[in-house]
Amino acid sequence: MKYNVNAVGREIPEYIEGFGELVPFKGVDAIKPEKKKAGAKLRMRVQQEKKIIETLEEAIKKSGLKDGMTISFHHHMRNGDAVVNMVLDTIAKMGIKDITLAPSSLGTCHEPVIGHIKSGVVTGIQSSGLRSPLGDEISKGILKKPVVIRSHGGRARAVEDGELHIDVTFLAAPSCDEMGNMNGRTGKSACGSLGYAKVDAQYADYVIAVTDNLVSFPNLPASIDQTMVDAVVVVESIGDPKKIVSGAVRETKNPRDLLIAKNAFDAMIHSGYFKDGFVYQTGAGGASLAVTKYLKEEMIKQGIKASLGIGGITGPLVDLHEQGLMDALFDTQSFDLDAARSIAVNPKHYEISASFYANPNTPGPAVNNLDFVMLGALEIDTDFNVNVMTKSNGVINEAVGGHQDTAVGAKMSVILAPLMRARIPIIVDKVTTVCTPGEAVDVICTDYGIVVNPRRQDLIDRFTKAGLNLKTIHEMKELAEKLTGKPEAIEFTDEIVGIVEYRDGSIIDVIKKIKE
């Protein structure tokens, strides 16, 4: 097998069976789009033909799904999702095999997918995330073709440019009418935004709405409208409401998280970007939420207001909006009950597609508006490359999500991470899997201080002047190893079980099978 070395020093095969030729990652914004957008198959509904189909099996038959095709799902149901397993069970009973499963993400509730891989129903997976136990099994090499990992923006790009063609998409619809007008705002399985479903609905050849809440026509406002939906199937339940969205997000009292958050907050305040009209994104982790709490207090103190909150929306961002401290919200995914409620009542809490959010091949993805983004990490190396996909033992167990997209889009990308987890250092010589390139990472905030990428001398100067606790990446790595010891290197075989794309479609890394 011939290899090319990419821009982050990883050896990338020229060709992989089941995937084709691989273009190595050449650097941020190095590859410019040349193609035109792809499109869905044209379909015509015969006048008065009913869209409601009695069973999932009948809908699948009507879709024309055959061996070797690709199906997709959205992950707004999170760990409460029942639709992926329901559909795969039905497909298996129908004798359909060799399916590529291409959801926006997969969670722990999708353990039954393992059985469908072993039986040959599923032979390929393309997704943003894979959690245990499915990730564990794929790391062992049970999948016929390597799993393809894409960021949220990268997935939207792949669908829109035809790299990922979806034959049939099954969209969990918390609220849907007889014509397929659907939203996630109401119903027992309400999840808020349907941002990841929007791209699939627009570009799939056949769209099946799966709902447990059929409402009177017209169901408005419609996140996805009737012009994109071919069939509607009513089932007893599309998911477990207790696992779809969490309740009010609780503040962390973990001293380590608070130290990390305080360092991130200090970096933001002294960055030069903390001023009226700033744009902000954060996650739902304890440290991230603590940053938002500190930020709110400082905004009130200084009389500063943000223009926009972006991404997966949480209660604390809703609070900023409703308190008049943040003008608007761009929501691809509502993380909690406060966000799901807000999107239904606040006109400036705006539902956006994954393409609007982060597709690099558009004139203006929302991530390019970011001043600040707070991001996590499983590992960071001395070149500032970040791993958010594989655990310290090399096993696939997380998600790239919007990490690549927001890191490069923001004026200041901030990685929040403890210096060690379970006596394992987070800052290492080389990460196990490169997911986000170091050139897109600006600041690392740990519980032992702040590290700034040498590319950002402007931030180093500002933080030094402010008296912040700065360390170099090598000083931080040495401190971690002094506290934990140096971990033993993981041994891998030559078998490739995963391909990690950069958001432009080039290959930033491959994941190999662990030597047992």
Side-chain angles (χ1 to χ4, degrees), residues 263-433:
N263 282 331
F265 165 74
D266 288 340
M268 289 177 67
I269 298 307
H270 296 289
S271 66
Y273 304 124
F274 182 65
K275 53 191 175 184
D276 272 331
F278 75 89
V279 180
Y280 175 64
Q281 177 171 335
T282 188
S288 296
L289 295 171
V291 174
T292 306
K293 181 189 175 187
Y294 291 141
L295 198 62
K296 178 182 177 181
E297 293 169 357
E298 191 68 19
M299 290 168 74
I300 293 169
K301 180 180 174 183
Q302 293 195 33
I304 287 175
K305 294 183 179 180
S307 63
L308 184 64
I310 291 177
I313 301 300
T314 59
L317 287 185
V318 170
D319 179 55
L320 288 179
H321 177 52
E322 294 183 341
Q323 294 295 319
L325 296 171
M326 182 172 278
D327 187 53
L329 302 170
F330 277 175
D331 191 344
T332 43
Q333 180 176 193
S334 308
F335 274 125
D336 56 31
L337 292 172
D338 287 335
R341 171 197 58 78
S342 171
I343 203 169
V345 299
N346 288 317
K348 282 195 171 184
H349 187 158
Y350 187 62
E351 184 176 14
I352 64 172
S353 73
S355 186
F356 186 144
Y357 171 52
N359 182 349
N361 289 357
T362 70
V367 294
N368 287 6
N369 295 108
L370 282 166
D371 289 295
F372 305 105
V373 63
M374 303 293 116
L375 296 167
L378 296 176
E379 292 176 318
I380 309 156
D381 68 25
T382 53
D383 292 320
F384 287 81
N385 299 310
V386 178
N387 171 23
V388 288
M389 196 68 223
T390 50
K391 295 188 291 186
S392 57
N393 60 2
V395 173
I396 299 168
N397 190 44
E398 285 297 336
V400 171
H403 205 283
Q404 297 173 351
D405 308 302
T406 53
V408 72
K411 290 186 179 72
M412 190 174 94
S413 60
V414 183
I415 307 298
L416 309 177
L419 193 60
M420 55 187 171
R421 289 191 187 97
R423 304 294 298 172
I424 296 171
I426 299 306
I427 297 180
V428 295
D429 287 316
K430 296 292 180 185
V431 293
T432 307
T433 306

Side-chain angles (χ1 to χ4, degrees), residues 77-82 85 106-113 132-133 243:
M77 300 290 105
R78 282 173 284 278
N79 273 327
D81 176 65
N85 297 335
L106 290 166
T108 56
C109 63
H110 299 120
E111 180 178 0
V113 173
S132 178
K243 296 178 182 178

Side-chain angles (χ1 to χ4, degrees), residues 118-141:
K118 291 179 177 178
S119 68
V121 173
V122 173
T123 55
I125 294 177
Q126 301 189 23
S127 180
S128 170
L130 288 164
R131 273 80 173 188
S132 178
L134 179 57
D136 297 354
E137 293 300 310
I138 288 172
S139 297
K140 295 175 184 175

Side-chain angles (χ1 to χ4, degrees), residues 446-505:
T446 76
D447 41 340
Y448 283 83
I450 300 169
V451 178
V452 181
N453 193 322
R455 291 170 176 264
R456 296 302 306 269
Q457 188 60 46
D458 59 324
L459 293 177
I460 293 172
D461 292 344
R462 286 179 179 274
F463 295 168
T464 301
K465 185 177 178 181
L468 302 190
N469 179 17
L470 294 187
K471 289 183 171 64
T472 68
I473 192 74
H474 293 284
E475 286 172 339
M476 200 68 86
K477 182 184 87 74
E478 288 168 11
L479 176 58
E481 289 178 358
K482 184 178 179 181
L483 294 169
T484 66
K486 194 163 185 174
E488 291 184 15
I490 308 163
E491 290 191 62
F492 296 93
T493 69
D494 291 331
E495 182 182 342
I496 293 172
V497 297
I499 300 167
V500 183
E501 284 193 1
Y502 187 60
R503 61 201 298 254
D504 61 9

